[in-house]
Amino acid sequence: MSTAIIERIKKEIESLKDDTTFEEVGVVVTVGDGVAEIEGIRGARMMEMVLFDDGEGKSLKEAMQYTDALYGLILNLEEETVKVVILGDTARVSEGMQVKRTGKLLSIPVGEEIVGRVVTPLGEVLDGKGAFKMERDMAIERVAYGVMDRSAVNEPIHTGIKAIDSMIPIGRGQRELIIGDRATGKTTVAIDTIINQKFEPVETRPICIYVAIGQKESKTARIVRELEEHGAMEYTIVVSTSAADPSPLQFLAPFAGAAIGEFFMEKGKDALIVYDDLSKHAVAYRQMSLLLRRPPGREAYPGDIFYLHSRLLERAAKLSKELGGGSLTALPIIETQEGDVSAYIPTNVISITDGQIFLETDLFNKGIRPALNVGISVSRVGSSAQTKAMKKVSGKIRIELAQFRELEAFMQFAGDLDQDTKNSIDSGRRYTELLKQDQHVTFPFFKQVVSIFAANNGLFNGSEVANVRAIENDFLSMIERDKKEVFESIESERALTDEVASELTKMIAEFKNTQVHYYA
């Protein structure tokens, strides 16, 4: 770990140390709707944790050791009182109850052993596997790294989804928004990205963090099971809050996930975090803010809702070599209503992120999965987040699909079409079919490169659109069986050499000669 990061950590630890020379105690004046008003703790700080006293006369340190200790978080500093959101069961708090300052800003315990676990935003384990060894307390709210501490985003995060890796590449340290209506496959894209990391070399494989914000517990349990079945929980952490949890816990969940990600980033490792979803996060923050009597603004959201998401997403970064070169990549998810990307929260998050993957209901209903709208989707990092091999083959596919979309719209009004137009439409349909993928079926980048190269060089020409995926599967199987060194070369070199390209061209011709039933 670099000296600069160690110094920063030391300063943080000093600022978070408990002040054991005194116990400043206040009293609950009013309590209701998850918010307590407390009198008598004048030295309180914003985002400081307070401990509700159970009346058993334990000291502060003794009370903090108990697993059922009830904490609150100071969010409003007023003239005579402070307002605290209760991080747990409100029914346990009553008027007249004593409250102790902890002298500690809200933090989450983190260590290497947290990998593979399911935890709450406060670091409590939910998977029944016992406690994990803590190495550090990470402050949940931190100032993001400045521009001089960062380096350019130039390494890819491979999602395993051909349409994304070829046309909307995601780089390590980027913030790429996944946006679309309910039930269009947003979570599936994020989970597939996590699952696909198993194809990455262990030394460069990112630690993945999935943050469930106000999700059904059954959905979170299903996702954990799917990750376990695909061997992805070995490098994944799940931070879970359910719809039944208080709004303060839902508000804290993504910040806790970011703190865990920063722990690994500062060790020089790569981390990938999914926020599912920030629409529910905004609603939880609105609910909490209104209960704290903060003034409402547009759509009743508080005035700092933009700042809330910007300070969260700014924590995604690719650190400079001097700071260890680690990265934190963010995939926030936003749910739209009727495809309206111009609503308040969607436009806020679009303006903060480095691009968006837009999933469309109409495409989903047509059976195009992932239902990616290539026209609206964009990556502002672009080809600098692609390997040389993918960069070499992906240029043609975007042009073909753009032409196809225009011609498809024109075709509805036109009568007879000339042969060139028909060929372009047929080619666009084959590319569209090639980019379809089943749920949790991901492709390592070297197989994607071969598939797209084959499409660009006529493998599917003369075939029915319905046969495209079968041809692709058989062609990849043939290479796996007869010319495995092609895959190995692309994987190790991360480039498509002239020799490999020549070998692939020969194999395309050989396949078309031997598998004539596809081209009848």
Side-chain angles (χ1 to χ4, degrees), residues 162 393 434 443 445-461 463 467-487 490 496 499-519:
K162 287 173 281 186
V393 300
L434 177 69
F443 284 71
F445 90 95
F446 52 87
K447 286 191 176 180
Q448 295 182 41
V449 169
V450 170
S451 284
I452 296 168
F453 178 89
N456 293 344
N457 287 273
L459 176 66
F460 305 111
N461 290 358
S463 70
N467 290 333
V468 164
R469 291 170 76 187
I471 292 171
E472 178 196 32
N473 186 51
D474 287 355
F475 183 67
L476 293 176
S477 297
M478 185 176 91
I479 294 176
E480 185 81 42
R481 185 183 65 246
D482 301 337
K483 289 283 181 182
K484 198 171 182 180
E485 59 270 22
V486 167
F487 286 152
I490 297 170
L496 189 66
E499 293 80 9
V500 169
S502 174
E503 191 65 51
L504 283 172
T505 305
K506 286 178 193 171
M507 295 200 74
I508 290 167
E510 182 186 331
F511 183 89
K512 293 187 84 168
N513 287 333
T514 56
Q515 305 291 327
V516 289
H517 59 282
Y518 283 128
Y519 303 95

Coordinates of all heavy atoms in Angstrom, one line a residue, residues 162 393 434 443 445-461 463 467-487 490 496 499-519:
K162 N -22.0 -9.4 -25.4 CA -21.4 -9.0 -26.7 C -21.8 -7.6 -27.1 O -21.0 -6.8 -27.5 CB -21.8 -10.0 -27.8 CG -21.1 -11.3 -27.7 CD -21.6 -12.3 -28.8 CE -22.9 -12.9 -28.3 NZ -23.4 -14.0 -29.2
V393 N -12.3 -5.4 -34.2 CA -13.4 -6.0 -34.8 C -14.7 -5.3 -34.6 O -15.7 -5.5 -35.3 CB -13.6 -7.5 -34.3 CG1 -12.3 -8.3 -34.7 CG2 -13.9 -7.6 -32.9
L434 N -27.2 -12.1 -33.6 CA -25.9 -12.5 -33.0 C -25.7 -11.9 -31.6 O -25.1 -12.5 -30.7 CB -24.7 -12.0 -33.9 CG -23.3 -12.3 -33.4 CD1 -23.0 -13.8 -33.5 CD2 -22.3 -11.5 -34.2
F443 N -20.0 -14.5 -22.4 CA -19.0 -14.9 -23.3 C -17.7 -14.3 -22.8 O -17.6 -13.0 -22.7 CB -19.3 -14.5 -24.7 CG -20.3 -15.3 -25.4 CD1 -21.6 -15.3 -25.0 CD2 -19.9 -16.2 -26.4 CE1 -22.6 -16.0 -25.7 CE2 -20.9 -16.9 -27.1 CZ -22.2 -16.9 -26.7
F445 N -14.1 -12.5 -23.4 CA -13.9 -11.5 -24.4 C -13.3 -12.2 -25.7 O -13.6 -11.7 -26.8 CB -13.1 -10.3 -23.9 CG -11.6 -10.5 -24.1 CD1 -11.0 -10.0 -25.2 CD2 -10.8 -11.1 -23.2 CE1 -9.6 -10.1 -25.4 CE2 -9.5 -11.3 -23.3 CZ -8.8 -10.8 -24.4
F446 N -12.4 -13.2 -25.5 CA -11.8 -13.8 -26.7 C -12.8 -14.5 -27.6 O -12.7 -14.5 -28.8 CB -10.6 -14.7 -26.3 CG -11.0 -15.8 -25.3 CD1 -11.5 -17.0 -25.7 CD2 -10.8 -15.5 -23.9 CE1 -11.8 -18.0 -24.7 CE2 -11.1 -16.5 -23.0 CZ -11.6 -17.7 -23.4
K447 N -13.9 -15.1 -27.0 CA -14.9 -15.7 -27.8 C -15.8 -14.6 -28.5 O -16.2 -14.8 -29.6 CB -15.8 -16.6 -26.9 CG -15.1 -17.9 -26.5 CD -16.1 -18.9 -25.9 CE -15.4 -20.2 -25.5 NZ -16.3 -21.2 -24.9
Q448 N -16.0 -13.5 -27.8 CA -16.7 -12.4 -28.4 C -16.0 -11.9 -29.6 O -16.6 -11.7 -30.7 CB -16.9 -11.3 -27.4 CG -17.8 -11.6 -26.2 CD -17.9 -10.4 -25.3 OE1 -18.1 -9.2 -25.8 NE2 -17.9 -10.6 -24.0
V449 N -14.7 -11.7 -29.5 CA -13.8 -11.2 -30.6 C -14.0 -12.2 -31.8 O -14.2 -11.7 -33.0 CB -12.4 -11.1 -30.2 CG1 -11.5 -10.9 -31.4 CG2 -12.2 -10.0 -29.2
V450 N -13.9 -13.5 -31.6 CA -14.0 -14.5 -32.7 C -15.4 -14.4 -33.3 O -15.5 -14.4 -34.6 CB -13.7 -15.9 -32.1 CG1 -14.0 -16.9 -33.2 CG2 -12.2 -16.0 -31.8
S451 N -16.4 -14.3 -32.5 CA -17.8 -14.3 -33.0 C -18.0 -13.1 -33.9 O -18.5 -13.2 -35.1 CB -18.8 -14.2 -31.9 OG -19.0 -15.4 -31.3
I452 N -17.5 -11.9 -33.5 CA -17.8 -10.7 -34.2 C -16.9 -10.7 -35.5 O -17.3 -10.2 -36.6 CB -17.5 -9.4 -33.3 CG1 -18.6 -9.4 -32.2 CG2 -17.6 -8.2 -34.2 CD1 -18.3 -8.4 -31.1
F453 N -15.6 -11.2 -35.4 CA -14.7 -11.3 -36.5 C -15.4 -12.1 -37.6 O -15.4 -11.8 -38.8 CB -13.4 -11.8 -36.1 CG -12.4 -12.0 -37.3 CD1 -11.6 -11.0 -37.7 CD2 -12.4 -13.2 -38.0 CE1 -10.7 -11.2 -38.7 CE2 -11.5 -13.4 -39.0 CZ -10.7 -12.4 -39.4
A454 N -15.9 -13.3 -37.1 CA -16.6 -14.2 -38.1 C -17.8 -13.6 -38.8 O -18.0 -13.7 -40.0 CB -17.0 -15.5 -37.3
A455 N -18.6 -12.8 -38.0 CA -19.7 -12.1 -38.6 C -19.3 -11.1 -39.6 O -19.9 -11.0 -40.7 CB -20.5 -11.4 -37.5
N456 N -18.2 -10.3 -39.3 CA -17.7 -9.3 -40.2 C -17.1 -10.0 -41.5 O -17.1 -9.3 -42.6 CB -16.6 -8.5 -39.6 CG -17.1 -7.7 -38.4 OD1 -18.3 -7.4 -38.3 ND2 -16.2 -7.2 -37.6
N457 N -16.7 -11.2 -41.4 CA -16.1 -11.9 -42.5 C -16.9 -13.0 -43.2 O -16.4 -13.9 -43.8 CB -14.7 -12.4 -42.1 CG -13.7 -11.4 -41.9 OD1 -13.0 -10.9 -42.8 ND2 -13.6 -10.9 -40.6
G458 N -18.2 -12.8 -43.1 CA -19.1 -13.6 -43.9 C -19.6 -14.9 -43.4 O -20.1 -15.7 -44.1
L459 N -19.3 -15.3 -42.1 CA -19.7 -16.6 -41.6 C -21.2 -16.8 -41.7 O -21.7 -17.9 -42.0 CB -19.3 -16.8 -40.1 CG -19.7 -18.1 -39.5 CD1 -19.0 -19.3 -40.1 CD2 -19.4 -18.0 -38.0
F460 N -22.0 -15.8 -41.5 CA -23.5 -15.9 -41.5 C -24.1 -15.6 -42.9 O -25.3 -15.7 -43.0 CB -24.1 -15.0 -40.4 CG -23.5 -15.3 -39.1 CD1 -22.7 -14.3 -38.4 CD2 -23.7 -16.5 -38.4 CE1 -22.1 -14.6 -37.2 CE2 -23.1 -16.8 -37.2 CZ -22.3 -15.8 -36.6
N461 N -23.3 -15.1 -43.8 CA -23.9 -14.8 -45.1 C -24.5 -16.0 -45.8 O -23.9 -17.1 -45.8 CB -22.8 -14.2 -46.0 CG -22.3 -12.8 -45.6 OD1 -22.9 -12.3 -44.6 ND2 -21.4 -12.2 -46.3
S463 N -27.1 -17.6 -44.7 CA -27.9 -18.4 -43.8 C -29.2 -17.7 -43.4 O -29.3 -16.5 -43.6 CB -27.0 -18.7 -42.5 OG -26.9 -17.5 -41.8
N467 N -30.9 -19.3 -37.9 CA -29.7 -20.2 -37.7 C -28.5 -19.5 -37.1 O -27.5 -20.2 -36.8 CB -29.4 -20.9 -39.0 CG -30.4 -21.9 -39.4 OD1 -31.1 -22.4 -38.6 ND2 -30.5 -22.1 -40.7
V468 N -28.5 -18.2 -36.9 CA -27.3 -17.5 -36.6 C -26.7 -18.0 -35.3 O -25.5 -18.3 -35.2 CB -27.6 -16.0 -36.5 CG1 -26.4 -15.2 -35.8 CG2 -27.7 -15.4 -37.9
R469 N -27.4 -18.1 -34.3 CA -26.9 -18.5 -33.0 C -26.4 -20.0 -33.0 O -25.4 -20.3 -32.3 CB -27.9 -18.3 -31.8 CG -28.1 -16.8 -31.6 CD -29.3 -16.5 -30.7 NE -29.0 -16.7 -29.3 CZ -29.9 -16.6 -28.4 NH1 -31.1 -16.4 -28.7 NH2 -29.5 -16.8 -27.1
A470 N -27.1 -20.8 -33.7 CA -26.6 -22.2 -33.8 C -25.3 -22.3 -34.6 O -24.4 -23.0 -34.2 CB -27.7 -23.0 -34.5
I471 N -25.2 -21.5 -35.6 CA -23.9 -21.4 -36.4 C -22.8 -20.9 -35.5 O -21.7 -21.5 -35.5 CB -24.1 -20.5 -37.6 CG1 -25.0 -21.1 -38.6 CG2 -22.7 -20.2 -38.3 CD1 -25.4 -20.2 -39.8
E472 N -23.0 -19.9 -34.7 CA -22.0 -19.3 -33.8 C -21.6 -20.4 -32.8 O -20.4 -20.5 -32.6 CB -22.6 -18.1 -33.1 CG -21.6 -17.5 -32.1 CD -22.3 -16.6 -31.1 OE1 -23.5 -16.8 -30.7 OE2 -21.7 -15.6 -30.6
N473 N -22.5 -21.1 -32.2 CA -22.2 -22.1 -31.2 C -21.3 -23.2 -31.8 O -20.3 -23.6 -31.2 CB -23.5 -22.6 -30.6 CG -23.2 -23.6 -29.5 OD1 -22.5 -23.2 -28.6 ND2 -23.8 -24.8 -29.6
D474 N -21.7 -23.6 -33.0 CA -21.0 -24.7 -33.7 C -19.6 -24.3 -34.1 O -18.6 -25.0 -34.0 CB -21.7 -25.3 -34.9 CG -22.9 -26.1 -34.5 OD1 -23.1 -26.3 -33.3 OD2 -23.7 -26.5 -35.4
F475 N -19.5 -23.0 -34.6 CA -18.2 -22.5 -35.0 C -17.2 -22.3 -33.8 O -16.1 -22.7 -33.9 CB -18.4 -21.1 -35.7 CG -17.1 -20.5 -36.3 CD1 -16.5 -21.1 -37.3 CD2 -16.6 -19.4 -35.7 CE1 -15.3 -20.6 -37.8 CE2 -15.4 -18.8 -36.2 CZ -14.8 -19.4 -37.3
L476 N -17.7 -21.8 -32.7 CA -16.9 -21.7 -31.5 C -16.5 -23.1 -31.0 O -15.3 -23.2 -30.5 CB -17.6 -20.9 -30.4 CG -17.9 -19.4 -30.7 CD1 -18.7 -18.8 -29.6 CD2 -16.6 -18.6 -30.9
S477 N -17.4 -24.0 -31.0 CA -17.1 -25.4 -30.6 C -16.0 -26.0 -31.5 O -15.1 -26.7 -31.0 CB -18.3 -26.3 -30.6 OG -19.3 -25.8 -29.8
M478 N -16.0 -25.7 -32.8 CA -15.0 -26.2 -33.7 C -13.6 -25.7 -33.4 O -12.7 -26.4 -33.4 CB -15.4 -25.9 -35.1 CG -14.5 -26.5 -36.2 SD -15.1 -26.1 -37.9 CE -14.2 -24.6 -38.2
I479 N -13.6 -24.4 -33.1 CA -12.3 -23.8 -32.7 C -11.8 -24.4 -31.4 O -10.6 -24.7 -31.3 CB -12.4 -22.2 -32.6 CG1 -12.7 -21.7 -34.0 CG2 -11.1 -21.6 -32.1 CD1 -13.0 -20.2 -34.1
E480 N -12.7 -24.5 -30.4 CA -12.3 -25.1 -29.1 C -11.7 -26.5 -29.3 O -10.8 -26.9 -28.6 CB -13.6 -25.1 -28.2 CG -13.3 -25.6 -26.8 CD -12.8 -24.5 -25.9 OE1 -13.3 -23.4 -26.0 OE2 -11.9 -24.8 -25.1
R481 N -12.3 -27.2 -30.2 CA -11.9 -28.6 -30.5 C -10.6 -28.7 -31.3 O -9.7 -29.4 -31.0 CB -13.0 -29.4 -31.2 CG -12.8 -30.8 -31.3 CD -13.9 -31.5 -32.1 NE -14.1 -31.0 -33.5 CZ -15.1 -30.3 -33.9 NH1 -16.1 -30.0 -33.1 NH2 -15.1 -29.9 -35.2
D482 N -10.5 -27.9 -32.4 CA -9.5 -28.1 -33.4 C -8.4 -27.1 -33.3 O -7.2 -27.4 -33.7 CB -10.0 -28.1 -34.8 CG -11.1 -29.2 -35.0 OD1 -11.0 -30.2 -34.3 OD2 -11.9 -29.0 -35.9
K483 N -8.7 -25.8 -32.9 CA -7.7 -24.8 -32.9 C -7.8 -23.9 -31.6 O -7.9 -22.7 -31.7 CB -7.9 -23.8 -34.1 CG -7.6 -24.5 -35.5 CD -6.1 -24.5 -35.7 CE -5.8 -25.1 -37.1 NZ -4.3 -25.1 -37.3
K484 N -7.6 -24.6 -30.5 CA -7.7 -23.9 -29.2 C -6.7 -22.8 -29.1 O -6.9 -21.8 -28.3 CB -7.6 -24.9 -28.1 CG -8.2 -24.4 -26.8 CD -8.2 -25.5 -25.7 CE -8.8 -25.0 -24.4 NZ -8.9 -26.0 -23.4
E485 N -5.6 -22.9 -29.8 CA -4.5 -21.9 -29.7 C -5.0 -20.6 -30.1 O -4.4 -19.5 -29.8 CB -3.3 -22.4 -30.4 CG -3.4 -22.7 -31.9 CD -3.8 -24.1 -32.2 OE1 -4.3 -24.8 -31.3 OE2 -3.6 -24.5 -33.3
V486 N -6.0 -20.5 -31.0 CA -6.6 -19.2 -31.4 C -7.1 -18.5 -30.2 O -6.8 -17.3 -30.0 CB -7.7 -19.5 -32.5 CG1 -8.5 -18.2 -32.7 CG2 -7.1 -19.9 -33.8
F487 N -7.9 -19.1 -29.4 CA -8.5 -18.5 -28.2 C -7.3 -18.1 -27.3 O -7.3 -17.0 -26.7 CB -9.4 -19.5 -27.5 CG -10.7 -19.7 -28.1 CD1 -11.4 -20.9 -28.0 CD2 -11.3 -18.7 -28.9 CE1 -12.7 -21.1 -28.6 CE2 -12.6 -18.9 -29.5 CZ -13.2 -20.0 -29.3
I490 N -5.5 -14.9 -28.4 CA -6.3 -13.7 -28.2 C -6.3 -13.3 -26.7 O -6.2 -12.2 -26.3 CB -7.7 -13.8 -28.8 CG1 -7.6 -14.0 -30.3 CG2 -8.5 -12.6 -28.5 CD1 -8.9 -14.4 -31.0
L496 N -5.6 -9.1 -31.9 CA -5.9 -10.1 -33.0 C -4.8 -9.9 -34.0 O -4.7 -9.0 -34.8 CB -7.2 -9.7 -33.6 CG -7.8 -10.7 -34.6 CD1 -8.1 -12.0 -34.0 CD2 -9.1 -10.1 -35.2
E499 N -1.7 -13.4 -38.1 CA -1.6 -14.8 -38.2 C -3.0 -15.4 -37.7 O -3.5 -16.3 -38.4 CB -0.5 -15.4 -37.4 CG 0.9 -15.1 -37.9 CD 1.4 -13.7 -37.5 OE1 0.7 -13.0 -36.6 OE2 2.4 -13.2 -38.0
V500 N -3.4 -14.9 -36.6 CA -4.7 -15.4 -36.0 C -5.9 -15.1 -36.9 O -6.8 -15.9 -37.2 CB -4.9 -14.9 -34.6 CG1 -6.3 -15.2 -34.1 CG2 -3.9 -15.5 -33.6
A501 N -5.9 -13.9 -37.5 CA -6.9 -13.4 -38.4 C -6.9 -14.3 -39.6 O -8.0 -14.7 -40.1 CB -6.7 -12.0 -38.8
S502 N -5.7 -14.6 -40.1 CA -5.6 -15.5 -41.3 C -6.2 -16.9 -41.0 O -6.9 -17.5 -41.8 CB -4.2 -15.5 -41.8 OG -4.0 -16.4 -42.8
E503 N -5.8 -17.4 -39.8 CA -6.3 -18.7 -39.4 C -7.8 -18.8 -39.3 O -8.5 -19.7 -39.7 CB -5.6 -19.1 -38.1 CG -5.8 -20.5 -37.7 CD -5.1 -21.5 -38.6 OE1 -3.9 -21.3 -38.9 OE2 -5.8 -22.4 -39.1
L504 N -8.4 -17.7 -38.7 CA -9.8 -17.6 -38.6 C -10.5 -17.6 -39.9 O -11.6 -18.2 -40.1 CB -10.2 -16.4 -37.7 CG -10.0 -16.5 -36.2 CD1 -10.3 -15.2 -35.5 CD2 -11.0 -17.6 -35.6
T505 N -10.0 -16.8 -40.9 CA -10.5 -16.7 -42.2 C -10.6 -18.1 -42.9 O -11.6 -18.5 -43.5 CB -9.7 -15.8 -43.1 OG1 -9.6 -14.5 -42.4 CG2 -10.4 -15.6 -44.4
K506 N -9.5 -18.9 -42.7 CA -9.5 -20.3 -43.2 C -10.6 -21.1 -42.6 O -11.2 -21.9 -43.3 CB -8.1 -20.9 -43.0 CG -7.0 -20.4 -43.9 CD -5.7 -21.1 -43.5 CE -4.5 -20.4 -44.1 NZ -3.2 -20.9 -43.5
M507 N -10.7 -21.0 -41.3 CA -11.7 -21.8 -40.6 C -13.1 -21.4 -40.9 O -14.0 -22.3 -40.9 CB -11.5 -21.7 -39.0 CG -10.1 -22.2 -38.6 SD -10.1 -22.6 -36.9 CE -11.0 -24.1 -36.8
I508 N -13.4 -20.2 -41.2 CA -14.7 -19.7 -41.7 C -15.0 -20.5 -43.0 O -16.1 -21.0 -43.2 CB -14.8 -18.2 -41.9 CG1 -14.8 -17.5 -40.5 CG2 -16.1 -17.8 -42.6 CD1 -14.5 -16.0 -40.6
A509 N -14.1 -20.5 -43.9 CA -14.3 -21.1 -45.2 C -14.5 -22.6 -45.0 O -15.4 -23.2 -45.6 CB -13.1 -20.9 -46.1
E510 N -13.7 -23.2 -44.1 CA -13.8 -24.7 -43.8 C -15.2 -25.0 -43.2 O -15.9 -26.0 -43.6 CB -12.7 -25.1 -42.9 CG -12.7 -26.6 -42.6 CD -11.7 -26.9 -41.5 OE1 -10.7 -26.2 -41.4 OE2 -12.0 -27.9 -40.7
F511 N -15.7 -24.2 -42.3 CA -17.0 -24.4 -41.7 C -18.1 -24.3 -42.7 O -19.0 -25.2 -42.7 CB -17.2 -23.3 -40.6 CG -18.5 -23.5 -39.8 CD1 -18.5 -24.3 -38.7 CD2 -19.6 -22.9 -40.2 CE1 -19.7 -24.5 -38.0 CE2 -20.8 -23.1 -39.5 CZ -20.8 -23.9 -38.4
K512 N -18.0 -23.3 -43.6 CA -19.1 -23.1 -44.6 C -19.1 -24.3 -45.6 O -20.2 -24.7 -46.1 CB -18.9 -21.8 -45.3 CG -19.2 -20.6 -44.4 CD -19.2 -19.3 -45.1 CE -20.5 -19.0 -45.7 NZ -20.6 -17.6 -46.2
N513 N -17.9 -24.9 -45.8 CA -17.9 -26.1 -46.7 C -18.4 -27.3 -46.1 O -19.0 -28.2 -46.8 CB -16.4 -26.3 -47.2 CG -16.0 -25.2 -48.2 OD1 -16.8 -24.7 -48.9 ND2 -14.7 -25.0 -48.2
T514 N -18.2 -27.5 -44.8 CA -18.6 -28.7 -44.1 C -20.0 -28.7 -43.5 O -20.6 -29.7 -43.4 CB -17.6 -29.1 -43.0 OG1 -17.5 -27.9 -42.1 CG2 -16.2 -29.3 -43.5
Q515 N -20.5 -27.5 -43.2 CA -21.8 -27.4 -42.5 C -22.8 -26.7 -43.5 O -23.4 -25.7 -43.2 CB -21.7 -26.5 -41.3 CG -20.7 -27.0 -40.3 CD -21.1 -28.2 -39.6 OE1 -22.3 -28.5 -39.4 NE2 -20.1 -29.1 -39.2
V516 N -22.9 -27.3 -44.7 CA -23.7 -26.8 -45.8 C -25.2 -26.7 -45.5 O -25.9 -25.9 -46.0 CB -23.5 -27.5 -47.1 CG1 -22.1 -27.3 -47.7 CG2 -23.7 -29.0 -46.9
H517 N -25.6 -27.5 -44.5 CA -27.1 -27.6 -44.2 C -27.6 -26.2 -43.6 O -28.7 -25.9 -43.6 CB -27.4 -28.7 -43.2 CG -26.7 -28.6 -41.9 ND1 -25.3 -29.0 -41.8 CD2 -27.0 -28.2 -40.7 CE1 -24.9 -28.8 -40.5 NE2 -26.0 -28.3 -39.8
Y518 N -26.6 -25.4 -43.1 CA -27.0 -24.1 -42.5 C -27.2 -23.1 -43.6 O -27.9 -22.1 -43.4 CB -25.9 -23.6 -41.6 CG -25.9 -24.2 -40.2 CD1 -24.7 -24.8 -39.7 CD2 -27.1 -24.3 -39.4 CE1 -24.7 -25.3 -38.4 CE2 -27.0 -24.9 -38.2 CZ -25.9 -25.4 -37.7 OH -25.8 -25.9 -36.4
Y519 N -26.7 -23.4 -44.8 CA -26.7 -22.4 -45.9 C -27.6 -22.8 -47.1 O -27.5 -22.2 -48.1 CB -25.2 -22.1 -46.3 CG -24.3 -21.7 -45.2 CD1 -23.6 -22.7 -44.5 CD2 -24.3 -20.4 -44.8 CE1 -22.7 -22.3 -43.5 CE2 -23.4 -20.0 -43.7 CZ -22.7 -21.0 -43.1 OH -21.9 -20.6 -42.0

